[in-house]
Amino acid sequence: TVEEKEDHYLIRICIFDDIPPQWCDRGEKEEHAVDQLPITLRFGLQTTPLRPFPENPYEEKNLHIDCYKKVLNNYEDFLSNPVVEGDEEIGFDRIERLGVKTLYIHEKWNDLQNSPLLTEATEARLQYIIKECHARGIRVIPYFGYELSSLSPLFEKYGDEFLRGVDKPYIGHWYRYPYQRDLPTCFGGKWADFFAEGLIALQKKYGFDGFYFDSMMNPFPCYNEKHGCGYYKDGKHYPTYSVWQVRDVLKRIYSYTSTHGLTVNIHACGSYNLAAMQFGDSIWDGEVQQSSFLKGLVTEIPDGLYRAQFRGRETGIPVMALCYSNPPVWTFESAAAIALLYGAMPKPVDIGEPLELMAKIWKIVDDFPIKDAEWKPYYLDSPIRSSEDHVKVSAYQTGDRVLAFCTSDKGDFEGESTLSSDYPIIRDAFTGEVLSENGKFTLKIKGFQCKIFTLEKKSV
């Protein structure tokens, strides 16, 4: 229970309603009068927000290659050659021209999935990409995750102890080239030390600019008793969850990155583990829900879920939306429109058209004084209103200006909505066209279409 007092809150936590019955029994035999082990409990209280929310959560300009939109050759070759048909501009130069400030390289940068130990080919690839990007003022952040590769020299020696025990064989494994299997690990054992120490050593040696962690915030179930997880009850095998160990690993890494100008970026995969997420600089999400749009299973935005998932302001950790594209069912524009509506920055995973659209959005946001503005989501007090409930507008507002993000949350909609505001001058932020001089105009819009407006008061 939580009681509000005059100058504090009083929290009472009830663990048991009564003494466990078995504790009252002396046991089957007199010499075993004390045959019940004590129950030990460990829990924590985590206040939110975890830290102050950034004044401008949109300063990062990220590109993530090989994430969903697959790169078929090695990353160093991909970036050193033209990547758009009919254009001779190489990848490195293209991402610099379009404003990318941080390049995320996905799992294929490392021949041994997630391994802190690198092959010579991986070492050369990483050094080359870092050199080319740093020469252009672009940061490099490599992918790491929650698995151990069967090609890793650690697999044979420590696999039985490092891996997450499962109730069914091969649950959660991954397959990729070079031919290998990647099985999920658990931070409940010594893998935590190998992983944290190994990654910090890698960064010191190669000088990349942070870490991208895939699903590492999730305390997955583990049955592996070799490192202390799992238990038996009534003849059945049950898992335990390494909540504290996940927190400790991320805390160890963050204590290093936060003092060396590096960033930790965590792909949440829908798991908002408050005890661990405070040791990340940003959260990435949307992949799981987005698959429903990609498959055509969902045609409307699940409003409550997206409010909780993408705001970030309650936790203090900004959220960036993974935006995949599978036209005509789903496009990067669709994902970007939804992300912006909920206050999240969309992250392109394609160096082609999605990056071109994102470059325009970056410029629009950079031209507006976000640090001096107040976030006004559509469900609170947006300064621009719509005649249709499904056409929603969220905005940043200063005294004189507004930057508004608009979309229809009905995927199959195509029609009109009347927008109105107390700010008379409304412009299309992409084109600069004046849409209204009296604070009202009729908008033609399709479902999940990305519309951005700037609003101004009339000049004196």
Side-chain angles (χ1 to χ4, degrees):
T1 60
V2 180
E3 295 181 38
E4 185 175 0
K5 301 295 185 179
E6 184 175 341
D7 59 352
H8 67 279
Y9 289 89
L10 176 63
I11 300 175
R12 290 188 178 92
I13 299 175
C14 178
I15 305 298
F16 294 112
D17 291 329
D18 204 345
I19 296 176
Q22 60 268 37
W23 284 11
C24 305
D25 190 343
R26 288 176 59 84
E28 295 180 3
K29 297 181 180 180
E30 184 67 23
E31 61 267 31
H32 294 155
V34 184
D35 61 355
Q36 295 294 332
L37 294 175
I39 296 174
T40 58
L41 302 165
R42 184 187 181 196
F43 65 92
L45 297 176
Q46 180 66 64
T47 59
T48 56
L50 305 169
R51 68 178 74 152
F53 193 74
E55 290 182 335
N56 183 358
Y58 304 136
E59 289 183 321
E60 288 272 351
K61 295 176 175 59
N62 304 302
L63 171 67
H64 192 163
I65 60 170
D66 199 39
C67 178
Y68 186 78
K69 175 63 182 296
K70 290 304 178 184
V71 171
L72 301 181
N73 51 345
N74 288 329
Y75 299 159
E76 67 272 30
D77 297 327
F78 174 75
L79 292 166
S80 299
N81 290 285
V83 293
V84 176
E85 187 176 351
D87 191 343
E88 293 302 314
E89 184 180 44
I90 68 169
F92 285 118
D93 292 340
R94 176 180 175 79
I95 65 176
E96 178 188 16
R97 177 176 61 81
L98 291 175
V100 173
K101 295 302 180 185
T102 305
L103 174 68
Y104 289 84
I105 50 178
H106 206 54
E107 58 203 4
K108 202 168 66 178
W109 76 271
N110 194 342
D111 287 337
L112 312 179
Q113 179 98 345
N114 301 317
S115 175
L117 308 175
L118 306 186
T119 65
E120 290 184 1
T122 296
E123 187 178 55
R125 175 181 306 124
L126 181 61
Q127 289 174 320
Y128 177 73
I129 293 174
I130 291 173
K131 177 177 72 71
E132 292 296 323
C133 283
H134 282 186
R136 294 168 170 83
I138 299 171
R139 303 163 73 242
V140 177
I141 297 184
Y143 170 107
F144 289 97
Y146 53 95
E147 301 154 324
L148 179 65
S149 169
S150 57
L151 287 181
S152 169
L154 299 173
F155 191 92
E156 181 179 359
K157 189 173 182 179
Y158 299 107
D160 287 346
E161 182 181 348
F162 287 174
L163 296 178
R164 187 196 322 154
V166 295
D167 58 342
K168 296 179 182 178
Y170 307 116
I171 279 184
H173 78 282
W174 184 249
Y175 166 80
R176 54 159 283 203
Y177 179 85
Y179 302 120
Q180 60 191 283
R181 294 294 191 274
D182 306 294
L183 285 87
T185 55
C186 176
F187 289 124
K190 293 181 180 179
W191 171 243
D193 295 327
F194 274 86
F195 190 79
E197 293 170 8
L199 264 58
I200 291 172
L202 277 182
Q203 194 286 323
K204 289 180 178 178
K205 183 175 182 179
Y206 299 105
F208 49 83
D209 302 284
F211 301 98
Y212 163 71
F213 290 138
D214 188 357
S215 303
M216 266 183 50
M217 197 164 61
N218 303 26
F220 290 107
C222 180
Y223 296 78
N224 194 342
E225 295 178 85
K226 291 184 178 180
H227 60 238
C229 286
Y231 66 97
Y232 284 90
K233 181 180 179 181
D234 301 326
K236 295 182 179 180
H237 201 185
Y238 294 91
T240 51
Y241 298 80
S242 54
V243 175
W244 291 95
Q245 293 89 338
V246 168
R247 169 187 163 86
D248 290 344
V249 166
L250 286 172
K251 183 178 180 179
R252 288 167 63 181
I253 294 172
Y254 187 76
S255 66
Y256 171 75
T257 60
S258 61
T259 56
H260 288 78
L262 311 172
T263 55
V264 172
N265 307 272
I266 304 173
H267 181 178
C269 203
S271 172
Y272 281 61
N273 178 0
L274 291 174
M277 69 187 293
Q278 63 182 300
F279 303 116
D281 296 289
S282 66
I283 301 298
W284 296 359
D285 214 345
E287 182 179 67
V288 174
Q289 291 76 20
Q290 200 161 248
S291 65
S292 299
F293 289 106
L294 290 169
K295 296 173 184 176
L297 302 176
V298 175
T299 58
E300 294 186 24
I301 297 173
D303 185 63
L305 173 65
Y306 273 66
R307 286 198 210 178
Q309 190 169 12
F310 288 115
R311 276 175 52 92
R313 285 161 174 80
E314 288 79 6
T315 64
I317 313 297
V319 180
M320 289 186 280
L322 291 162
C323 296
Y324 303 158
S325 183
N326 189 20
V329 175
W330 187 250
T331 66
F332 176 80
E333 180 186 356
S334 305
I338 294 173
L340 292 167
L341 183 69
Y342 287 89
M345 177 58 80
K347 182 172 67 65
V349 296
D350 188 339
I351 203 169
E353 290 183 9
L355 180 56
E356 293 174 6
L357 173 58
M358 198 64 235
K360 296 175 183 177
I361 295 174
W362 286 334
K363 186 178 186 310
I364 291 170
V365 171
D366 284 348
D367 288 343
F368 189 85
I370 295 289
K371 289 184 177 181
D372 300 323
E374 184 178 357
W375 174 242
K376 299 276 192 172
Y378 67 89
Y379 47 85
L380 289 181
D381 190 23
S382 177
I384 183 168
R385 299 165 294 278
S386 168
S387 62
E388 304 294 326
D389 289 341
H390 62 86
V391 176
K392 296 178 167 62
V393 189
S394 297
Y396 281 96
Q397 181 179 21
T398 67
D400 300 322
R401 299 171 62 191
V402 170
L403 176 63
F405 306 106
C406 174
T407 193
S408 167
D409 67 6
K410 283 189 175 182
D412 56 358
F413 176 77
E414 183 173 358
E416 296 181 345
S417 176
T418 300
L419 300 185
S420 57
S421 174
D422 295 333
Y423 289 76
I425 301 176
I426 303 176
R427 301 177 189 271
D428 184 315
F430 287 108
T431 65
E433 177 188 359
V434 175
L435 304 173
S436 173
E437 294 185 356
N438 62 5
K440 188 174 183 179
F441 77 102
T442 299
L443 171 70
K444 293 183 178 180
I445 190 170
K446 298 178 181 179
F448 305 146
Q449 191 174 13
C450 183
K451 297 288 187 177
I452 305 178
F453 309 109
T454 58
L455 289 73
E456 307 164 22
K457 293 183 176 179
K458 287 183 177 178
S459 58
V460 180

